[in-house]
Amino acid sequence: SKGRNNYTLFDSNMKTYSKEKDKLSLEVLLRRALEKKEFMVYYQPQVDLMKKKVIGVEALLRWNSPEYGIVSPENFIPILEENGLISQVGEWVLSEVCNQSKRWVEKGFPRIRMAVNLSSQQFLKDNLVEIINNTLIEFGMDPNYLELEITETMTMDVERAINVLGQLNALGVRISIDDFGTGYSSLNYLKKFSIHTLKIDKSFVRDIMLDKNDSNIVSTIISMAHNLNLDVVAEGVETKDQLDFLQMRKCDVVQGYYFSKPLSADDFEKSFYKINEG
Ligand code: C2E
Ligand code: CA
Ligand code: CA
Ligand code: CA
């Protein structure tokens, strides 16, 4: 009701949802949300700095709640993780994204890469690879256009990660390490994982122009990634200065409010497919 990019952050109503009772009722609402199809996927464009165009999107979950409006995932993903619903929701996100990709292809839009966040519970499931494969087949999705974002923490069981990532690689999907540098880094194993992209967290990008440490970290991640033959995506790019810095350091792809906030599928279609055509 407050318009497209205004998220209800629960400030007034849900500040206290850490109380058991409130958490419980929120859980009930979230179960209902899944049944009543209140979840939505928003899409944030990813811009290739060499090609100077939108080459992909990151899919970001939203909850369109009748009570609270559009709710940001930070407010409900922890609860979904706690009550185990996150895998189900994650599987829904994956099929919704593949379905959306199919709809865009059918409308004659150029194919773009679809990046999807995986939760650790999804990553730990024995049938993860099977589910992903089935979803790709169901929607006739080209695996090369699906990028799965995982975090460093999910790769802590190194043997398992090598195995699962190898199987996903064999399917042809791309793998990106999300929030790179904020978690448990096993630089030692990075080269053993079948991955394609390192994604620099917005916490490093934010002060790139102010904090020498952050700009050094970002430069270092970019050159290390390139030495390992990986692509680099920087998230949280909000200003022209940040963009120029990243361009100078040869960052491959950027994502952030400077270009666009995450948008509903309709809004993305309206603004970005037109820009790319022109
Ligand atoms: P993330 O994967 O690190 O996603 C990037 C977050 O940064 C998104 O927040 C995005 O809206 C926000 N962002 C993008 N550009 C800018 C910018 O220029 N400035 C600032 N300050 N922020 C920017 P969002 O959409 O609220 O998502 C929060 C987190 O929730 C995500 O962080 C991700 O960890 C999780 N999440 C979102 N969707 C899913 C999903 O489908 N499954 C799972 N498991 N997690 C999800
Ligand atoms: Ca992400
Ligand atoms: Ca994340
Ligand atoms: Ca991040």
Side-chain angles (χ1 to χ4, degrees):
S1 63
K2 280 193 275 165
R4 293 211 160 85
N5 282 315
N6 290 306
Y7 308 136
T8 304
L9 292 172
F10 282 156
D11 304 315
S12 46
N13 302 302
M14 299 309 260
K15 203 180 275 165
T16 53
Y17 82 73
S18 53
K19 282 195 213 148
E20 276 316 300
K21 184 168 153 280
D22 296 326
K23 215 155 72 180
L24 216 66
S25 51
L26 192 51
E27 201 181 312
V28 171
L29 291 182
L30 285 166
R31 279 183 201 283
R32 190 201 61 190
L34 191 58
E35 272 166 36
K36 296 247 169 101
K37 308 204 183 324
E38 292 167 9
F39 289 115
M40 300 173 71
V41 178
Y42 272 33
Y43 298 90
Q44 188 176 35
Q46 298 185 326
V47 177
D48 185 308
L49 292 180
M50 286 284 278
K51 295 181 183 147
K52 300 204 185 299
K53 66 175 191 177
V54 176
I55 50 104
V57 285
E58 178 177 9
L60 294 156
L61 184 61
R62 299 288 180 266
W63 173 25
N64 189 192
S65 151
E67 289 86 1
Y68 309 112
I70 308 267
V71 185
S72 147
E74 256 141 34
N75 293 301
F76 62 87
I77 283 189
I79 297 166
L80 295 177
E81 277 168 349
E82 227 176 283
N83 64 22
L85 277 179
I86 188 68
S87 292
Q88 238 177 298
V89 175
E91 285 161 24
W92 175 82
V93 170
L94 184 69
S95 26
E96 179 54 30
V97 166
C98 293
N99 199 182
Q100 187 57 62
S101 170
K102 187 178 173 209
R103 288 192 286 256
W104 281 332
V105 170
E106 283 169 356
K107 286 185 173 182
F109 297 132
R111 255 178 231 276
I112 52 169
R113 203 153 74 203
M114 313 288 277
V116 174
N117 292 283
L118 282 193
S119 65
S120 39
Q121 284 176 39
Q122 272 176 289
F123 193 72
L124 283 172
K125 278 185 94 171
D126 287 332
N127 59 356
L128 171 75
V129 178
E130 194 186 322
I131 288 173
I132 288 168
N133 191 218
N134 290 343
T135 312
L136 289 167
I137 292 168
E138 183 181 349
F139 297 100
M141 172 102 183
D142 180 342
N144 292 296
Y145 285 87
L146 180 66
E147 184 161 81
L148 301 173
E149 298 193 357
I150 63 166
T151 59
E152 293 160 282
T153 345
M154 298 185 201
T155 65
M156 272 169 76
D157 182 347
V158 173
E159 289 310 314
R160 189 173 186 286
I162 291 177
N163 181 271
V164 175
L165 295 177
Q167 288 183 57
L168 291 171
N169 191 50
L171 284 187
V173 302
R174 296 170 57 95
I175 306 288
S176 165
I177 306 285
D178 204 0
D179 302 337
F180 185 75
T182 65
Y184 162 96
S185 290
S186 59
L187 294 184
N188 199 18
Y189 290 104
L190 212 48
K191 57 181 188 290
K192 293 192 183 170
F193 293 150
S194 314
I195 57 173
H196 306 80
T197 308
L198 293 187
K199 199 160 176 185
I200 303 176
D201 188 59
K202 59 177 182 284
S203 60
F204 297 121
V205 175
R206 190 184 50 220
D207 296 334
I208 227 174
M209 307 312 294
L210 309 167
D211 187 331
K212 196 82 192 113
N213 288 325
D214 285 341
S215 60
N216 284 336
I217 288 169
V218 168
S219 304
T220 305
I221 295 177
I222 294 172
S223 47
M224 183 190 68
H226 287 163
N227 285 330
L228 292 166
N229 248 321
L230 302 171
D231 281 348
V232 187
V233 178
E235 71 173 22
V237 178
E238 295 183 355
T239 68
K240 179 79 166 64
D241 285 348
Q242 291 168 337
L243 177 67
D244 290 343
F245 178 93
L246 291 161
Q247 192 143 32
M248 220 166 60
R249 299 298 145 111
K250 303 259 171 352
C251 181
D252 304 283
V253 173
V254 291
Q255 176 186 342
Y257 297 164
Y258 181 73
F259 292 102
S260 170
K261 291 194 166 183
L263 301 168
S264 69
D266 277 355
D267 287 345
F268 177 79
E269 220 173 274
K270 278 178 212 142
S271 32
F272 285 92
Y273 281 124
K274 283 220 187 73
I275 289 175
N276 266 4
E277 275 163 24

